Amino acid sequence: MASVAPLFQSLKVGSLTLKNRVVMSALTRSRSIQNATPNEVNVEYYRQRARGGTGLIVSEGVLITPQGTEWPYVPGISTDEHVQGWKKVTDAVHEEGGLIFCQLWHLGRVSHPDAPEQKKAGVPVYAPSAISARGGKFRFLEGAPGYQKPTEIDDPRKLIEQFRQAAIKAKAAGFDGVELHGANGYLIHQFLDTTSNKRTDQWGGSVENRARFGLETLKVLNEVWGSDRVGVKLSPSGGYNDMGMPLDETLETFRYFISEADKLNIAYFTLVRYLEMTDPVIDGNKRGTVHDVVASYRPYVKNAKFFANGGIFPDEAVKLVSEGTSDAIVFGFLYVAHPDLAKRIQFGKSLHPEATKLGSLYGAGGSIEDQVLGYTDYPEEKYD
């Protein structure tokens, strides 16, 4: 592998300076077993990854309001208890010299009305339009049902206000910024995509109208945080959670959205490349829209930093950064088994044989002791 030095140059991102260009992606790990509140095991997990030299940590997706996820024990950011739990996490990251953004997450139509957290919320499953996603299995519910038809939200501004309140709480919890989850078929993505958004009002139809929800959400995050502490994650190829438009429509939609979001002077974009492993087969065909995400959208980012994500290993990461194709690299699954991933890359340490095995990605419930397995029990190398 070529010299890894390009990955270990500092990088100005908004008003922050990252010590290197190794970014940890949001990874749903399902370990917040009490009231969706981060606990001592979560604190240790994030502390390890900050100690391991990560330039920027993006938290797992954090629910802005109780929702019926496919994965129990996903953390929230809607109560004072959540704030106090996350404050312990952010303190630990800062004690290790790290930076951490809170990824703000609303599932939209891929929540389930019978999931405990959705029942606790006392509201229907809201989405841009009353169109169910195909696929999905809620294995913790009897019969492992698939997605259900959601309720069309009457006024999307109600959901934007939930993002505002979550951003305020994330600030109180000590995060360094927020990332809007606009990828993987969740709420922001659902508004952008014509297969999930059939509205005929100002929130649907034209590219400008479908982009409005995400752009207005970014504006309220900017109001709370300042644009230099706000990022957004997008996955134009779709696939996951039954998303995807024809290529011409995909390019038009995401180029417009990225161009307009970039004018808001946000700190960064994370663009997820097409990954076959996350593209389901529906009705006998792969669901996603295969295209070169980096080449298709990189030229439309003029002001913000550009982060590439999706199936990237260290050798390719060096190439992308050294060529100027990406300002930093967002690693996801490699962080499951490597709390010290950044230092391993920097000092030429090998990756674990189980680096890409994902059996421990999601928690199994039970006690705190059970949550440690496959979560905080991976060894760290010694770096003298």
Side-chain angles (χ1 to χ4, degrees):
M1 186 171 74
S3 169
V4 299
L7 284 178
F8 292 91
Q9 298 171 348
S10 63
L11 178 66
K12 190 79 181 305
V13 179
S15 59
L16 298 169
T17 299
L18 311 190
K19 60 189 174 186
N20 60 49
R21 298 167 186 238
V22 178
V23 178
M24 175 177 158
S25 178
L27 288 163
T28 300
R29 303 303 307 275
S30 301
R31 259 73 174 191
S32 299
I33 62 177
Q34 295 295 329
N35 300 319
T37 302
N39 55 47
E40 62 197 67
V41 179
N42 305 135
V43 171
E44 177 60 18
Y45 171 79
Y46 285 104
R47 181 188 293 280
Q48 288 177 350
R49 282 146 185 81
R51 186 170 63 235
T54 307
L56 173 65
I57 294 170
V58 181
S59 78
E60 59 209 283
V62 183
L63 300 179
I64 66 171
T65 186
Q67 297 165 70
T69 71
E70 287 188 65
W71 314 275
Y73 315 127
V74 171
I77 191 71
S78 58
T79 71
D80 290 341
E81 183 183 9
H82 294 156
V83 170
Q84 292 307 309
W86 279 115
K87 186 68 169 65
K88 295 175 183 177
V89 170
T90 60
D91 283 349
V93 169
H94 294 151
E95 287 167 7
E96 300 294 342
L99 297 169
I100 182 169
F101 272 39
C102 180
Q103 189 190 69
L104 301 179
W105 189 25
H106 192 297
L107 279 71
R109 69 177 184 170
V110 295
S111 283
H112 197 287
D114 295 333
E117 289 299 309
Q118 191 69 47
K119 288 184 174 181
K120 186 185 296 184
V123 296
V125 172
Y126 286 124
S129 299
I131 302 170
S132 175
R134 294 168 294 174
K137 287 186 179 180
F138 293 79
R139 293 174 178 81
F140 62 98
L141 296 178
E142 185 176 354
Y147 296 124
Q148 306 295 303
K149 185 177 179 179
T151 297
E152 181 175 305
I153 182 70
D154 56 347
D155 184 357
R157 283 179 286 256
K158 295 177 182 177
L159 301 176
I160 294 174
E161 180 58 25
Q162 291 180 347
F163 278 101
R164 181 197 301 275
Q165 294 304 318
I168 291 170
K169 283 185 165 55
K171 201 168 194 178
F175 284 96
D176 298 294
V178 291
E179 177 180 281
L180 179 62
H181 195 343
N184 298 346
Y186 299 114
L187 185 66
I188 303 296
H189 198 172
Q190 290 162 29
F191 270 93
L192 285 167
D193 197 304
T194 54
T195 65
S196 51
N197 182 354
K198 301 295 185 182
R199 300 179 74 97
T200 57
D201 60 6
Q202 65 176 320
W203 306 97
S206 67
V207 173
E208 294 80 4
N209 284 353
R210 285 182 282 113
R212 190 184 311 278
F213 183 82
L215 294 173
E216 292 301 314
T217 301
L218 283 173
K219 289 176 185 177
V220 302
L221 300 186
N222 287 356
E223 290 171 7
V224 174
W225 275 93
S227 62
D228 55 0
R229 300 291 187 108
V230 174
V232 63
K233 181 177 184 178
L234 302 168
S235 56
S237 293
Y240 193 68
N241 282 322
D242 191 17
M243 302 300 290
M245 300 176 284
L247 180 58
D248 288 350
E249 195 169 24
T250 298
L251 292 170
E252 180 186 17
T253 297
F254 282 92
R255 284 172 174 171
Y256 175 81
F257 182 85
I258 289 168
S259 296
E260 293 302 307
D262 192 53
K263 294 174 185 176
L264 300 177
N265 294 315
I266 62 173
Y268 70 84
F269 291 86
T270 290
L271 270 290
V272 184
R273 306 189 305 182
Y274 176 79
L275 289 175
E276 186 173 7
M277 67 177 288
T278 58
D279 185 6
V281 174
I282 297 178
D283 296 336
N285 298 300
K286 283 287 188 178
R287 179 66 178 87
T289 306
V290 181
H291 62 297
D292 187 334
V293 166
V294 174
S296 297
Y297 307 106
R298 178 69 176 95
Y300 294 83
V301 178
K302 308 291 188 183
N303 301 306
K305 293 299 188 291
F306 183 94
F307 298 169
N309 174 227
I312 300 173
F313 281 77
D315 53 352
E316 186 184 8
V318 171
K319 183 174 184 291
L320 290 170
V321 171
S322 62
E323 292 177 348
T325 304
S326 187
D327 295 305
I329 303 299
V330 181
F331 296 94
F333 293 140
L334 291 185
Y335 263 107
V336 173
H338 302 101
D340 56 349
L341 180 64
K343 287 186 176 179
R344 280 180 180 272
I345 296 171
Q346 184 176 12
F347 294 102
K349 303 289 186 179
S350 61
L351 300 181
H352 295 313
E354 67 268 34
T356 57
K357 294 180 181 178
L358 304 178
S360 65
L361 184 60
Y362 304 120
S367 66
I368 291 288
E369 290 74 19
D370 293 333
Q371 300 303 305
V372 169
L373 300 175
Y375 187 62
T376 56
D377 59 351
Y378 291 104
E380 298 175 65
E381 293 280 353
K382 293 188 181 298
Y383 303 92
D384 299 322

